[in-house]
Amino acid sequence: MPARHARVKRAAIGALAWAVALWVFFPILWMGLTGFKSEADAISTPPQLIFHPTLASYREVFAQENYWHFAANSIAISVLATIVVLLLAIPAAYAMAFHPGPRTRGTLLWMLSTRMLPSVGVLVPIYLLARNTGLLDTRTGLVVIYVLTNLPIMVWMLYTFFREVPVPILEAGRMDGATRWQEITQVLLPLALPGIASTGLLSMILCWNEAFWSLNLTSSSAAPLPTFIASFSSPEGLFFGKLSAASTLAVAPILVFGWLSQKQLVRGLTFGAVK
Amino acid sequence: MNLRGRALGRKRHGAGMLLSPAVVLLLVWSLVPLAMTLWYSTRNYNLVDPTLHGFSGVNNYWYLLTDPDFLTALLNTAILVGGVLAITVGLGTVLAVLFDQAFLGRGVARVLVISPFFIMPTVSALLWKNLMLHPIYGVYSAMMRAVGLTPVDWLSNYPLATLVMIVAWEWLPFAILILLTAIQSLDSEQKEAARMDGAGPLAQFRFIILPHLARAITVVIMIETIFLLAVFAEIAVTTAGGPGVASTNLAFLIYSRALLQFDVGGASAGGVVAIVIANIVAAFLLRAVARNLET
């Protein structure tokens, strides 16, 4: 009897949890479906769950909307910013994790505090600086901004991962006469590779989805996908099929990244404060 | 940490070199724009009116603080942050407990429920505006008609409440993700012991799970607050701050002063106010994180 009771209870909990999950996910699912509808089906009332799928909207996004131009910007900016941020953050995190000094703790907290600087607070000077140096609407401009805004989080995340690497292993390498360069590249990096990979992944996600600076500092030539999608908020956005296809293409890669890295993300996003 | 340092202890000197590029860049990044914002906030400076220039003292601040739009924006910011926090932390705690239970397909269900967090803000704004809440074509409107109600033009009639809903949808997954991880770190023996002692599910939640979650909840509130103070794209894409200033928050107000009205001085004064507010919040967050560094 108790076993049956437990099974019923478990089924009820499962049904409730699935109902919540589907309700939360529904808008994304609906966007995915609408991308495969003809424009007529997309705005039919009441909305239809059963329809004749077509690739027309996707073809239009690729042909007319120049999707690849924006996707290429997103990819180039996110990848480049991630590489640069790792090149800066790995040595910094190494120094603080393995050679801590009296000021290390203060330095870590100070770094984090720079991330708290609200973007809108410095919008005016950054906009004027970008305009005066010719970096407005350039990929370089966004890369610089993304590197600077994400650097503190990446240092913290790597610091958290590096501190889990057993010190004796590094010492053994040093006994064998490894230089610092060899110690980092041949001992530390292979050991910490999973952590470095998830740090890079989080950097990609943050850069890909960033909207404040991309909306304010780019218009056309360097515009990444968030700016491209925002351009659909004009009356043209009423082409629901096209909007949905473009949106699906913009979020799909990063959604998959997010699913793959959800566990490590918690650590990165909370700076190791929640384990 | 110091013991660890001594155990490794050699040439911290060389290690300092590895740290300096990051430190120097962040130093420049944190000081230069801040100094410029402070400087501009005391200037008469309009991008379209070159005749207007010179020192203005505290005039920019005076105009800003006495502007009814500023008060509205401040109030809207508080409602947006407070509303989203209440929904995501409250609902997030309950759902984290729910998704911690064993049930069929739990892994997939979890992946689905955290998905909105990875959707870029401009996409989620347009998705809700057009596909879900559009008064004619939206799915929610169709559902209302199906049960005999009259669909509502949410973003025109209740712009701020609707924005709270959209932003809460984006941030609920974050709360679930963090709180679920925290629940999983709870010692199962402790739960077992409580059950043996006759604690019901509610008592277990109230006296074991909730206290265990206190720190994770603090972290969620602090991190969300930092990001929610700066909500911008959702507003820019859905309501553009309107109707009137009904859905203008501090971030959007500064943006419209700077890049729509080209009033650099006034926008900078707003920027300084935003920095002050964010720093008050940040001080609390840093304290919470600093405690963690000691363990």
Side-chain angles (χ1 to χ4, degrees), chain A residues 10 13-14 16-18 20-28 30-31 34 43-47 88 91-92 94-102 104-105 107-118 120-129 131 145 148-149 151-152 155-156 159 162-163 165 167 170-171 174 178-180 183-184 205 208-209 211-213 215-216 225-227 229-230 232-233 237-238 240 243-244 247 250-251 254-255 258-259 262 265-266 269-275, chain B residues 1-2 4-5 7-8 10-16 18-19 21-23 25-27 29-30 32-34 36-37 40 45 47 91 95 98-99 101-123 126-132 134 136-140 142 145 169 172-174 177-178 181-182 185 215-216 219 223 226-227 230 232-233 236-237 250-251 254-255 258-259 264 267-268 271-272 274-275 278 282 285-286 289-295:
Chain A
R10 201 171 135 168
I13 286 172
L16 182 62
W18 268 98
V20 171
L22 289 175
W23 175 61
V24 170
F25 188 71
F26 177 74
I28 301 171
W30 191 256
M31 175 178 79
T34 307
I43 57 164
S44 73
T45 48
L88 287 165
Y94 164 83
M96 290 195 282
F98 298 108
H99 303 279
T104 298
R105 189 166 169 273
T107 309
L108 274 166
L109 287 174
W110 166 75
M111 281 190 167
L112 197 54
S113 75
T114 67
R115 182 64 182 85
M116 320 255 163
L117 187 71
V120 314
V122 293
L123 168 65
V124 172
I126 297 297
Y127 181 85
L128 293 176
L129 278 175
R131 196 192 58 174
I145 297 276
L148 289 168
T149 51
L151 186 56
V155 170
W156 263 87
Y159 174 80
F162 285 177
R163 286 201 58 178
V165 172
V167 173
L170 292 194
E171 279 174 341
R174 212 174 296 156
T179 63
R180 175 160 288 151
E183 182 185 322
I184 295 179
I205 293 173
W208 191 274
N209 288 343
F212 181 80
W213 291 114
L215 285 179
N216 284 319
L225 288 165
T227 312
I229 297 297
F232 282 84
S233 57
L238 287 174
F240 284 6
L243 166 69
S244 300
S247 297
V251 302
I254 228 63
L255 193 56
W259 287 343
Q262 44 161 321
L265 277 184
V266 174
L269 288 166
T270 60
F271 318 111
V274 174
K275 278 167 199 139
Chain B
M1 203 148 85
N2 277 331
R4 199 182 154 90
L8 284 160
R10 84 157 183 192
K11 287 180 284 176
R12 199 175 289 144
H13 211 62
L18 295 172
L19 184 59
V23 169
L25 279 175
L26 284 177
L27 207 58
W29 169 243
S30 63
V32 173
L34 186 64
M36 287 176 76
T37 302
Y40 286 136
Y45 186 178
L47 288 174
L91 203 57
L95 292 181
L98 178 65
F99 281 85
Q101 312 295 313
F103 60 86
L104 200 66
R106 182 169 70 171
V108 181
R110 275 184 193 166
V111 159
L112 293 184
V113 86
I114 61 160
S115 294
F117 187 61
F118 304 113
I119 304 298
M120 58 178 70
T122 52
V123 165
L126 284 178
L127 166 59
W128 278 99
K129 181 186 181 185
N130 294 319
L131 299 183
M132 294 292 124
H134 194 284
I136 300 165
Y137 309 116
V139 174
Y140 278 45
R145 270 193 297 270
W169 178 76
L172 180 64
F174 175 76
L177 194 63
I178 304 296
T181 309
S185 73
R215 175 143 151 204
V219 171
I223 292 179
I226 295 286
F227 282 90
F232 172 79
V237 168
L250 198 50
I254 296 169
Y255 156 80
L259 297 188
V264 173
S268 296
V272 173
I275 291 171
L285 174 58
L286 284 177
V289 175
R291 221 178 304 144
N292 178 59
L293 265 184
E294 279 149 19
T295 57

Side-chain angles (χ1 to χ4, degrees), chain B residues 186-257:
Chain B
L186 182 63
D187 195 357
S188 60
E189 275 175 24
Q190 206 184 341
K191 264 193 285 188
E192 195 60 37
R195 212 170 41 189
M196 290 296 184
D197 290 346
L202 275 180
Q204 283 180 46
F205 177 74
R206 169 71 186 82
F207 294 107
I208 297 184
I209 297 179
L210 214 51
H212 177 74
L213 285 184
R215 175 143 151 204
I217 288 177
T218 315
V219 171
V220 168
I221 290 176
M222 292 305 166
I223 292 179
E224 280 194 19
T225 306
I226 295 286
F227 282 90
L228 294 176
L229 280 173
V231 164
F232 172 79
E234 292 85 344
I235 296 174
V237 168
T238 54
T239 64
V245 288
S247 59
T248 295
N249 69 350
L250 198 50
F252 196 82
L253 183 79
I254 296 169
Y255 156 80
S256 67
R257 285 282 188 282

Side-chain angles (χ1 to χ4, degrees), chain A residues 71 74-75 78 203-210 225-226 250 253-254, chain B residues 120:
Chain A
S74 268
I75 294 169
S78 307
S203 165
M204 284 291 295
I205 293 173
L206 290 175
C207 294
W208 191 274
N209 288 343
E210 200 287 329
L225 288 165
I254 228 63
Chain B
M120 58 178 70

